[in-house]
């Protein structure tokens, strides 16, 4: 029996999700895509989870698509490439974009290679911390391809149009420091797990419903008209004003105490 491609450990309200093909530098194959979807579903169902840390085992975060493995199953590729009428995403896109759609913050911790599919997975997270010497690349250009695992949307949200075009058209390799300068990475550290843990600690001090609603608010209004954005604001704020966790926050602040929140009630 083969080892799981994706490991999930939930401890102290934090879900640590680990890509688990270290011998292949965590290259993405078809089973990993399915396991990413299943793991995200399990995280979503656990309302006690406050944040997700996404990482790679061994010497890399993820070196990209494992072409040698994937091309052995052309029929499965065709099936995986067909979009779901409900989601408007195919398997390759959904396996990565589902992390953006989770109602909890997702933090990618990047080291080693972050190529192609790996870069698209990292940029689907809400935050990314990287080592200075990590190698980042939209590597699809090397193979005469374009990013097609939700990466085009992630790139346009994180960097300017000229940077997105340059990275996508050239496939040039940049280090973690440059990735941070471009806006791909949220921060740089020799041990990126440390700023990730600091951010998780800060997030856990806030209402899980407020954090989830804030993620929804910013995702849904990024390209919305002001009129549409204001409508989303009103609807979410009303939900927060009526939430039990907001009442807990107000009472705790009045007493100058740390709030003891209930499990997340907002977001499916």
């Amino acid at each position: 029996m083969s080892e799981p491609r994706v490991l999930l450990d939930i401890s102290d309200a934090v879900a640590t999700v680990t890509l688990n093909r270290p011998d292949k530098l965590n290259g993405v194959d078809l089973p990993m895509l399915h396991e990413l979807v299943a793991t995200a579903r399990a995280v979503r169902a656990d309302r006690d989870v406050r944040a997700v840390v996404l990482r790679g085992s061994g010497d890399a975060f993820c070196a990209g698509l494992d072409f040698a493995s994937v091309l052995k199953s052309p029929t499965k590729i065709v099936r995986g490439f067909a979009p779901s009428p409900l989601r408007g995403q195919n398997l390759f896109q959904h396996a990565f974009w589902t992390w953006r759609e989770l109602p909890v913050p997702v933090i990618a911790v990047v080291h080693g290679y972050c190529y192609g599919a790996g870069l698209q997975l990292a940029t689907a997270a809400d935050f990314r911390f990287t080592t200075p010497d990590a190698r980042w690349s939209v590597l699809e250009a090397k193979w005469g391809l374009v990013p097609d695992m939700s990466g085009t949307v992630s790139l346009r949200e994180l960097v300017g149009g000229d940077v997105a075009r340059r990275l996508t058209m050239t496939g040039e390799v940049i280090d973690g420091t440059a990735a941070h300068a471009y806006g791909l990475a949220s921060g740089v550290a020799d041990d990126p797990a440390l700023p990730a843990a600091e951010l998780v600690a800060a997030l856990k001090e806030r209402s899980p419903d407020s954090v989830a609603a804030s993620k929804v608010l910013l995702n849904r209004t990024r390209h919305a008209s002001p009129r549409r954005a204001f409508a989303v604001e009103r609807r979410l704020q009303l939900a927060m004003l009526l939430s039990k966790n907001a009442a807990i926050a107000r009472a705790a602040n009045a007493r100058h105490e740390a709030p003891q929140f209930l499990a997340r009630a907002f977001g499916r």
Side-chain angles (χ1 to χ4, degrees), residues 4-262:
R5 262 57 169 178
V6 180
L7 304 176
L8 172 61
D9 176 72
I10 299 176
S11 178
D12 196 23
V14 178
T16 300
V17 177
T18 306
L19 305 184
N20 188 41
R21 296 188 76 208
D23 56 320
K24 299 293 185 180
L25 297 174
N26 298 315
V28 175
D29 61 1
L30 292 171
M32 182 181 282
L33 292 174
H34 289 287
E35 290 187 31
L36 281 167
V37 172
T39 303
R41 188 179 299 122
V43 171
R44 182 186 294 273
D46 190 337
R47 291 183 175 268
D48 289 321
V49 169
R50 301 294 307 275
V52 176
V53 175
L54 186 59
R55 59 184 293 274
S57 60
D59 295 329
F61 175 72
C62 175
L65 189 69
D66 184 349
F67 281 100
S69 173
V70 171
L71 293 177
K72 291 178 181 177
S73 307
T75 302
K76 292 181 179 179
I77 293 175
V78 172
R79 287 203 297 266
F81 206 75
S84 160
L86 180 62
R87 294 190 304 266
Q89 305 165 18
N90 65 25
L91 172 63
F92 296 90
Q93 295 162 334
H94 181 54
F96 291 1
W97 196 248
T98 189
W99 300 94
R100 178 65 65 87
E101 295 176 324
L102 284 181
V104 293
V106 179
I107 305 167
V109 175
V110 175
H111 74 291
Y113 299 111
C114 185
Y115 286 169
L119 185 146
Q120 295 182 80
L121 179 59
T123 56
D126 300 292
F127 308 94
R128 291 149 299 284
F129 295 100
T130 180
T131 60
D133 59 353
R135 313 299 286 171
W136 294 62
S137 175
V138 186
L139 203 61
E140 286 81 3
K142 179 178 179 179
W143 310 108
L145 303 172
V146 297
D148 67 337
M149 298 182 181
S150 78
T152 50
V153 173
S154 299
L155 279 175
R156 81 183 187 197
E157 291 185 351
L158 294 173
V159 302
D162 55 342
V163 173
R165 292 182 185 93
R166 174 171 178 161
L167 296 176
T168 303
M169 292 175 182
T170 67
E172 68 180 278
V173 178
I174 60 175
D175 63 19
T177 301
H180 181 233
Y182 279 149
L184 287 174
S186 310
V188 184
D190 291 332
D191 184 357
L194 294 180
E198 291 173 359
L199 177 56
V200 167
L203 291 166
K204 288 171 67 176
E205 292 178 356
R206 304 304 177 210
S207 160
D209 296 317
S210 172
V211 170
S214 295
K215 179 169 178 175
V216 170
L217 174 62
L218 295 173
N219 283 346
R220 290 186 181 175
T221 61
R222 186 175 183 87
H223 301 290
S225 67
R227 183 184 181 91
R228 170 61 179 161
F230 298 156
V232 175
E233 276 185 4
R234 292 192 299 271
R235 179 168 55 82
L236 292 175
Q237 188 68 308
L238 178 60
M240 292 304 101
L241 288 169
L242 298 175
S243 71
K244 292 181 179 179
N245 277 322
I248 290 171
R250 290 193 296 270
N253 284 323
R255 296 190 300 267
H256 303 286
E257 297 175 353
Q260 301 298 314
F261 292 114
L262 303 174

